[in-house]
Amino acid sequence: MNGIWRNWISSLRIKNVPQRYQSGYHPAVPLGSRILTDPAKVFEHNMWDHMQWSKEEEAAARKKVEENSAERVLLEEQVKYEREANKYWDTFYKVHKNKFFKDRNWLLREFPEILPPDQKTEEAAKELSWDHVKTNAANCFSRKHCPIVPEEKDSYQKSSGSSDGHSKAESDFPHLNSEEHGKGPLKADLFPGGKTTFRILEVGCGAGNSVFPILNTLQNAPESFLYCCDFAPGAVELVKAHASYRAAQCCAFVHDVCDEGLPYPFPDGILDAVLLVFVLSSIHPDRMQGAVNRLSKLLKPGGMLLFRDYGRYDKTQLRFKRGHCLSENFYVRGDGTRVYFFTKGEVHSMFCKAGLEEKQNLIDRRLQVNRKKQVKMHRVWVQGKFQKPL
């Protein structure tokens, strides 16, 4: 069976990306196409895709999590981390500015839905076919070789906490408030991007590592508009101060997605896509469902919510020391920012409860290697696409 799988993968790679092996030619290869077929070559690249866990690796990861979550952060400290969540992230961006994260130039490869229909390039069309290949390869591999990592069920109580940022968001758009939103649709000239026909919202934009790759792609699509928000004022300031920021095609604003009553600078039901990439994991588990429910209302029928975040037993989770665990699979870093690690089942449940239909829900397992130190590390992410019914 192993030989059959290796032959299938080899033929798939040769058929779809023959130029990868041509000397001196390095095309833009979609994520998910580098598959390790010879373990002896593991240190030839920094990252390998579709890497599955052995039973021993799975057991070791589970043991690590049991050990680092045995001691919980004191309740009063947890309350502080929740109450001052935006302050910790604001400090993060004031310290690191836009130097910490790399630009997400891979977005269009994984999420071609953020392109307006008439702007989908030949490259984006190729990525759509790769999405099918990636799904089939991952499913085939997991069925034949991978012991399934069990998905843990969590029950969360509703939180009553709130973050700062409410007054700031209202002052940015004084003509918008919850009462006005409830009276009916706003006129197109009363909100940013009102006269455009394709609208995207990125939640948790940070310093703009997704914003500017998207804007660069949309610069020849004047009918498109990008909204982006973050609850750290310092992050939004970095986006607006960037040389590539264009107010004619982008609106950056301070917003706390956990405050379900806080209005957005546009009416409900007008977005073609919502981008939620490595954001939901920073929110307290008790408040995630409410945030997703609110974002679902912003989508127009047929609109897509695009999700990518940390998966259960990612190396980041395994590296936490005792005393950093807030609750099950939820941790606090040394700088006060927090992170949760999802299972596929949790992601499915959360978005479907918000009235969205699952179009994709994958566990993206990769093997990251440090060639200098000869160290191997498993990365686990969850990626999904969820559509608002027509």
Side-chain angles (χ1 to χ4, degrees), residues 167-177 180 190-192 227 240 251-255 263-266:
S167 59
K168 172 65 178 173
E170 287 186 334
S171 65
D172 283 347
F173 306 101
H175 60 285
L176 294 174
N177 57 53
E180 286 178 346
L190 290 182
F191 65 93
Y227 304 97
K240 289 185 173 182
C251 173
F253 58 100
V254 177
H255 193 90
Y264 286 81
F266 49 82

Side-chain angles (χ1 to χ4, degrees), residues 72-108:
R72 301 293 171 91
V73 174
L74 295 175
L75 183 59
E76 54 265 35
E77 289 294 306
Q78 294 197 37
V79 171
K80 183 189 72 170
Y81 289 130
E82 171 65 14
R83 184 180 62 246
E84 301 181 2
N86 68 324
K87 293 182 180 179
Y88 287 112
W89 278 108
D90 200 43
T91 299
F92 174 89
Y93 286 109
K94 286 180 179 177
V95 171
H96 299 287
K97 300 190 183 298
N98 60 355
K99 308 296 183 185
F100 193 85
F101 300 111
K102 295 180 179 179
D103 282 352
R104 293 167 177 159
N105 294 311
W106 51 266
L107 278 174
L108 291 179

Side-chain angles (χ1 to χ4, degrees), residues 305-347:
L305 195 152
L306 309 171
F307 171 85
R308 186 172 176 85
D309 220 317
Y310 295 103
R312 190 70 46 85
Y313 304 145
D314 178 69
K315 71 156 188 176
T316 309
Q317 182 178 18
L318 305 186
R319 283 183 167 182
F320 275 105
K321 305 298 183 184
R322 289 171 65 100
H324 285 264
C325 186
L326 298 164
S327 60
E328 197 168 0
N329 303 300
F330 191 44
Y331 299 79
V332 62
R333 302 182 181 95
D335 61 3
T337 62
R338 302 170 298 174
V339 59
Y340 185 83
F341 298 88
F342 295 94
T343 65
K344 223 171 90 168
E346 290 171 344
V347 172

Side-chain angles (χ1 to χ4, degrees), residues 367-380:
L367 184 67
Q368 184 177 10
V369 302
N370 184 319
R371 288 186 276 181
K372 183 178 181 180
K373 296 181 179 180
Q374 299 283 287
V375 174
K376 296 182 284 187
M377 301 162 285
H378 282 283
R379 301 310 312 264
V380 184

Side-chain angles (χ1 to χ4, degrees), residues 52 62 89 91 119 143 202:
Q52 304 303 316
R62 188 183 295 111
W89 278 108
T91 299
Q119 292 292 320
R143 285 196 301 270
E202 188 200 2

